[in-house]
Amino acid sequence: MTKLKWGMIGGGEGSQIGPAHRLGAGLDGLFELTAGALDADAKKGRAYARRLEIAPDRAYGDWREMLAGESAREDRIDLVTVATPNSTHFEITRAFLEQGFDVLCEKPMTMTVEEGEEIVALAEKSGRICAVNYGYSGYPLVRHMRAMVARGDLGQVRLVKAEFAHGFHADAADADNPRVRWRYDPAQAGVSAVMADCGIHALHMACFVTGQEVTSLSADFASCIERRTLEDDGMVSFRMTGGAVGRLWTSAVAVGRMHGLNIQVFGEKGGLRWAQEWPNQLYWTPLNETTRTLERGGPGLSPEADRASRVTIGHAEGMPLAFANIYADLAEVITARKEGRAPDPAATHTPRAIDGLNSMAAVYAAVESAGNGSRWTEVRPPSRR
Ligand code: NAI
């Protein structure tokens, strides 16, 4: 089998998320990094692309040049990843979808709900994949939680509690550091800071695991560092389509917390607990029984978890391998389409544009609610009410 051709926009040298994408996409030998506009600085981007062994004629200076170059080729890329800063996602994703490319866009997919609606409609019309990199949905035990809920192990889900709380913007003396400041500047970050950056990962995970969508929410935001216009802490209560009650805490000032992405799901027949910093164990407590530790790679897990598990039991797996599962699933769906067959059903749960839109609608609802004394607010975007 020939490798799929993969292109990347953003994720240049020294970027935070670029290496995780390259590790993930490269792991299974399914994708070859063929084209890139990797950096805001054209010269740096081209030079880095060359070091990553991208051919000179496909080491582009910017994304428009890449779009024109790849659109004109017969051997055009099969998938493009958009890993640039947030405010550029919409126009790049829209432009590549319009030209018939499959896209994996970093989160948040857009800056507004209206843009999100446009991308969902465009992806539907074009028949192309528009995936959104909620990469934590690639963890084997997160997929196992989803499978357990779907097959009824927990019975009716009553409660879900999700957190994404870190402490890396807690130093008031460092608040004016440009690398931190832009995140709390509405002109650059949009309507929300930590909720749009981190809270949406936890909210997406609550939806992914329960198979439910958020219908309404009540949010309380705080800017713990005085000069900040946007929130650096948020507490959100929410209700879901299947009747589950949700609680979400997100923070950037929780000193001592590292990545802090955790989820607990409580149903009528048992409860689950998982933490992204210890991703190889899932705690399952059937009602009136003692807690069991489910080990990634261990016996008796769901086919979804087995498909996503790569290293033998007892050896740690982490975030780049979760990203690898997103890429493996996309490769399966793209290859199946090329071969005119149905994809493996276990590969079809990658978050899509609709998840990106729902997240943005939740961010806007949270901002509205927080500005209105935590009033309960409708979440669903206009096209889905
Ligand atoms: P970063 O600032 O570390 O890197 C951004 C990269 O994009 C740099 O190499 C920069 O030169 C390049 N770039 C900027 N504008 C560009 C343009 N117009 N064309 C081509 N390249 C351009 O940013 P970071 O932290 O890597 O974040 C990138 C995106 O990934 C953000 O949207 C962020 O929200 C998302 N992210 C997602 C995570 C996840 O778990 N899914 C985790 C961390 C970030």
Side-chain angles (χ1 to χ4, degrees):
M1 183 194 141
T2 53
K3 289 186 183 184
L4 295 171
K5 287 180 276 305
W6 176 51
M8 222 187 158
I9 301 170
E13 188 169 24
S15 66
Q16 186 189 177
I17 208 65
H21 279 279
R22 285 187 286 275
L23 283 169
L27 193 74
D28 296 315
L30 297 170
F31 288 101
E32 180 171 10
L33 183 56
T34 312
L38 301 177
D39 205 288
D41 178 325
K43 204 169 151 208
K44 271 178 67 186
R46 280 202 191 92
Y48 191 46
R50 294 294 298 120
R51 285 214 328 264
L52 295 174
E53 299 185 350
I54 293 176
D57 61 330
R58 296 176 101 168
Y60 298 99
D62 67 52
W63 68 265
R64 287 188 177 83
E65 195 185 292
M66 177 161 155
L67 180 64
E70 290 301 312
S71 299
R73 298 183 74 104
E74 284 204 357
D75 63 343
R76 49 158 55 186
I77 46 172
D78 297 292
L79 176 73
V80 61
T81 293
V82 180
T84 49
N86 302 357
S87 63
T88 62
H89 293 175
F90 170 63
E91 65 167 348
I92 300 176
T93 297
R94 182 178 60 180
F96 275 81
L97 282 174
E98 276 170 346
Q99 289 303 316
F101 290 92
D102 291 312
V103 180
L104 171 61
C105 180
E106 262 304 346
K107 48 54 65 176
M109 182 177 79
T110 59
M111 297 291 281
T112 68
V113 177
E114 291 73 25
E115 290 169 353
E117 300 265 25
E118 199 177 325
I119 295 290
V120 169
L122 182 56
E124 261 167 37
K125 194 172 135 214
S126 68
R128 295 290 110 179
I129 296 167
C130 180
V132 180
N133 192 39
Y134 288 109
Y136 309 112
S137 65
Y139 278 98
L141 291 178
V142 172
R143 293 181 171 197
H144 187 64
M145 279 194 278
R146 180 191 168 95
M148 286 181 75
V149 171
R151 73 190 183 200
D153 291 7
L154 282 77
Q156 181 82 19
V157 173
R158 292 169 172 158
L159 267 175
V160 53
K161 178 170 168 285
E163 293 180 352
F164 193 157
H166 68 83
F168 292 107
H169 302 152
D171 183 357
D174 192 44
D176 284 330
N177 171 345
R179 284 189 49 241
V180 176
R181 196 179 51 211
W182 76 264
R183 295 170 183 277
Y184 299 93
D185 172 6
Q188 293 180 75
V191 295
S192 158
V194 73
M195 182 66 196
D197 191 29
C198 299
I200 59 169
H201 275 297
L203 199 69
H204 175 264
M205 187 166 283
C207 298
F208 182 82
V209 168
T210 60
Q212 301 184 28
E213 291 184 6
V214 178
T215 53
S216 61
L217 60 73
S218 158
D220 180 26
F221 281 2
S223 300
C224 295
I225 290 187
E226 223 177 291
R227 296 185 299 286
R228 283 181 182 159
T229 325
L230 298 177
E231 85 288 355
D232 53 21
D233 185 276
M235 188 66 87
V236 181
S237 290
F238 54 96
R239 297 291 184 273
M240 306 187 83
T241 40
V245 171
R247 316 282 186 210
L248 171 100
W249 175 42
T250 186
S251 188
V253 294
V255 181
R257 295 275 301 234
M258 294 292 125
H259 204 243
L261 176 61
N262 306 322
I263 186 160
Q264 288 175 271
V265 187
F266 305 102
E268 55 187 358
K269 295 199 285 186
L272 287 168
R273 176 160 55 90
W274 182 83
Q276 192 250 345
E277 288 174 40
W278 298 273
N280 296 289
Q281 286 79 33
L282 170 65
Y283 299 97
W284 163 231
T285 315
L287 184 68
N288 298 328
E289 293 182 28
T290 195
T291 299
R292 290 146 203 201
T293 307
L294 307 184
E295 291 282 346
R296 184 206 51 75
L301 296 183
S302 56
E304 291 88 339
D306 288 341
R307 182 176 193 279
S309 181
R310 292 141 182 291
V311 182
T312 47
I313 185 169
H315 299 284
E317 273 189 20
M319 186 258 223
L321 279 76
F323 278 27
N325 288 325
I326 302 282
Y327 279 99
D329 289 353
L330 291 174
E332 166 61 10
V333 174
I334 294 169
T335 306
R337 190 177 60 208
K338 284 183 177 220
E339 293 173 355
R341 61 171 173 83
D344 177 346
T348 56
H349 299 303
T350 314
R352 296 292 182 104
I354 190 63
D355 301 291
L357 168 61
N358 286 344
S359 299
M360 205 23 72
V363 168
Y364 271 74
V367 171
E368 188 184 329
S369 170
N372 277 315
S374 303
R375 196 174 65 200
W376 279 89
T377 304
E378 166 76 52
V379 168
R380 280 170 296 192
S383 64
R384 294 175 60 80
R385 284 186 189 165

